[in-house]
Amino acid sequence: MVTGLAAIAWNDLAHRPQEDVKGRKRLWALAIAVNFVGPIAYLRYGRRENTT
C-alpha cells in the first residue's frame, strides 16, 4: 500500500509543472521517499489547485 501511494505521488509530481507545485520538486521527491507520511503530505499540501 505504501509503495502504491508513493508511486501515485511520484507520478503526479513528475507530470505536474513546477508552477503547480508548492516548493521545489526535488525536495518533494525526497519527502515522498521517506515513508507513508511523505506521499500523504505531498498529495495534501504540495500541490496547487488547478484554476483553469
Side-chain angles (χ1 to χ4, degrees):
M1 165 123 168
V2 175
T3 306
L5 190 59
I8 291 168
W10 272 319
N11 185 44
D12 182 82
L13 183 62
H15 291 96
R16 188 173 294 271
Q18 174 61 51
E19 51 274 359
D20 289 343
V21 176
K22 296 178 184 175
R24 294 177 17 199
K25 289 178 86 170
R26 183 172 293 202
L27 292 177
W28 278 117
L30 290 173
I32 292 168
V34 172
N35 57 25
F36 71 93
V37 176
I40 292 171
Y42 168 71
L43 293 171
R44 175 64 179 98
Y45 301 109
R47 305 181 301 168
R48 296 187 193 279
E49 290 296 321
N50 191 356
T51 58
T52 58

